[in-house]
Amino acid sequence: MAYSPIFAENNSYLVSTYSDHVHTLPTPPRPDQLRERLAQAGLRATRQRLLILESLLVLPGHPTAEQVHRRVAGLEASISLGTVYKALDSFVEAGLTRRVASAEGASRRYDADCTEHHHLFCTDTQEIIDYCDPQLDALIREFFAAKGLQNFQPHSFSLHITGNKVSNG
Amino acid sequence: MAYSPIFAENNSYLVSTYSDHVHTLPTPPRPDQLRERLAQAGLRATRQRLLILESLLVLPGHPTAEQVHRRVAGLEASISLGTVYKALDSFVEAGLTRRVASAEGASRRYDADCTEHHHLFCTDTQEIIDYCDPQLDALIREFFAAKGLQNFQPHSFSLHITGNKVSNG
DNA sequence: TTGGCTGCAAACTTTTTGCAGGGGT
DNA sequence: ACCCCTGCAAAAAGTTTGCAGCCAA
């Protein structure tokens, strides 16, 4: 069973990573890797941005700007929430980060993982769980390759699976 | 080709209905049908709620509270935006309405269609297009029936397809 | 050195809340 | 008649913006 432990961020949403194939807990990336990613995106590697990007990669799940700010502020006392918003906007524009589609919750959520993946929404706990499955990806791509969509060219697919965790599935 | 005309609501998102199988433009429901739906949900059929529910069903796509309010206010001069919010909350809680997951846009969007369907996100026009395909539903359900998810019981699936409209797909 | 980035604070948008009064059942 | 629902307005929550100064390239 590939199921990660659950992390709590205050009393907000719980998030974890769920994959039938690989299970990778976020590994804190090395500073030079962060610099590299920022440089490739054409963004300056300031202290703040390094911490913001690292937080995005490290924080379990799909943090809000507020949550990113909380973590960064813990490491670097005086960072402004406005800076976090501006940085996240830049990241999204540069393709470094995605905004996550979610129906619940007031705040926008961000995901540093720009690779294709799916989401499990637990109705009980409000968790948003990442789900990776190349087999499923292939199935969907084959379906649309065979069937096609008139007048629409699909680029990426993300399946939203709503349900709830059970003790034994 | 089953492709509906596109509707504009001011200069906000364009929305239309897209289905490979059936193409139904929202038909204004009869008042007694609206009453029925509210009664079944255990909600009082006030003038305001009838108009709000009707607007949800009639407005093309996935309107925000603001958009619902604009339409209702056009028919019933003095309705409060707060009332729209409260009513929509009740509807969601009663299962009459869903909140739509979306990454873009500041405001929450609502969908009176609680049947299972999927969404096309056009990166060019920002449209959110409904997509119905029982064949796709079956494919996904079969996949998870066969493969299963450990520790998770799926209830519903919604595929988010990002791409863009083309003149000839 | 220079222009992008930061901090701060004000403004703005969206959503929630409290309460008195009205209308559905 | 009861009490859920509405209107109003204030407040809370979330996000954007403007500008002076700073710092990465």
Side-chain angles (χ1 to χ4, degrees):
Chain A
M1 164 187 114
Y3 201 101
S4 81
I6 308 292
F7 299 89
E9 166 85 7
N10 287 346
N11 49 6
S12 37
Y13 293 164
L14 298 167
V15 190
S16 65
T17 296
Y18 190 119
S19 169
D20 276 10
H21 293 265
V22 278
H23 170 222
T24 45
L25 268 188
T27 342
R30 295 169 44 190
D32 50 293
Q33 295 173 317
L34 296 173
R35 292 197 125 79
E36 172 71 14
R37 292 181 73 151
L38 288 170
Q40 278 185 6
L43 300 169
R44 287 193 180 174
T46 63
R47 251 178 315 111
Q48 294 87 338
R49 291 186 166 192
L50 290 169
L51 287 167
I52 291 169
L53 182 54
E54 195 213 33
S55 297
L56 265 186
L57 291 163
V58 162
L59 281 175
H62 311 81
T64 63
E66 183 75 39
Q67 291 171 326
V68 169
H69 179 250
R70 257 205 300 279
R71 177 170 187 280
V72 174
L75 307 171
E76 168 86 20
S78 66
I79 186 172
S80 157
L81 179 56
T83 297
V84 174
Y85 274 107
K86 284 173 184 165
L88 289 175
D89 282 352
S90 309
F91 291 3
V92 169
E93 194 179 5
L96 218 57
T97 297
R98 282 188 182 171
R99 277 198 253 264
V100 173
S102 72
E104 303 299 324
S107 305
R108 286 188 184 156
R109 293 175 168 279
Y110 297 85
D111 190 347
D113 184 1
C114 282
T115 63
E116 225 172 331
H117 62 270
H118 310 283
H119 292 268
L120 305 179
F121 294 83
C122 180
T123 52
D124 294 339
T125 64
Q126 298 285 67
E127 280 174 274
I128 304 175
I129 305 169
D130 280 350
Y131 175 74
C132 303
D133 191 333
Q135 214 176 316
L136 175 62
D137 298 344
L139 190 75
I140 293 172
R141 289 197 171 277
E142 277 161 25
F143 176 84
F144 284 106
K147 173 156 195 170
L149 285 167
Q150 289 108 341
N151 294 329
F152 198 88
Q153 179 63 48
H155 296 318
S156 66
F157 302 94
S158 175
L159 185 63
H160 289 217
I161 305 162
T162 305
N164 60 279
K165 291 197 301 181
V166 290
S167 41
N168 209 338
Chain B
M1 165 187 114
Y3 201 100
S4 82
I6 307 291
F7 298 90
E9 165 86 8
N10 285 347
N11 48 6
S12 37
Y13 293 164
L14 297 168
V15 190
S16 66
T17 296
Y18 189 118
S19 167
D20 276 11
H21 293 265
V22 279
H23 170 222
T24 45
L25 269 188
T27 342
R30 294 169 44 192
D32 52 292
Q33 296 174 316
L34 296 172
R35 291 197 126 79
E36 172 71 15
R37 292 181 72 152
L38 288 169
Q40 278 186 5
L43 299 170
R44 286 191 180 173
T46 63
R47 250 180 316 112
Q48 293 87 338
R49 289 185 168 193
L50 290 169
L51 287 167
I52 291 168
L53 182 54
E54 196 213 33
S55 297
L56 265 186
L57 291 163
V58 163
L59 281 175
H62 310 82
T64 63
E66 184 75 36
Q67 290 171 325
V68 169
H69 179 250
R70 255 203 302 276
R71 177 171 187 279
V72 174
L75 307 171
E76 166 86 20
S78 66
I79 186 171
S80 157
L81 180 56
T83 297
V84 174
Y85 273 106
K86 284 173 185 164
L88 290 174
D89 282 352
S90 308
F91 291 3
V92 169
E93 194 179 6
L96 217 58
T97 296
R98 282 187 183 171
R99 277 198 254 264
V100 173
S102 72
E104 303 300 324
S107 304
R108 286 187 185 157
R109 294 174 168 279
Y110 295 85
D111 190 347
D113 183 2
C114 282
T115 63
E116 227 173 328
H117 61 271
H118 310 284
H119 292 268
L120 305 179
F121 294 83
C122 179
T123 52
D124 293 339
T125 64
Q126 299 284 66
E127 279 174 273
I128 304 175
I129 305 168
D130 280 349
Y131 175 75
C132 303
D133 191 334
Q135 214 175 316
L136 175 61
D137 298 345
L139 190 74
I140 293 171
R141 290 198 171 277
E142 277 160 26
F143 177 84
F144 284 106
K147 175 157 195 170
L149 286 167
Q150 290 107 340
N151 295 329
F152 198 88
Q153 180 63 49
H155 296 317
S156 67
F157 303 94
S158 175
L159 186 62
H160 289 219
I161 306 164
T162 305
N164 59 279
K165 292 197 300 183
V166 290
S167 39
N168 209 340

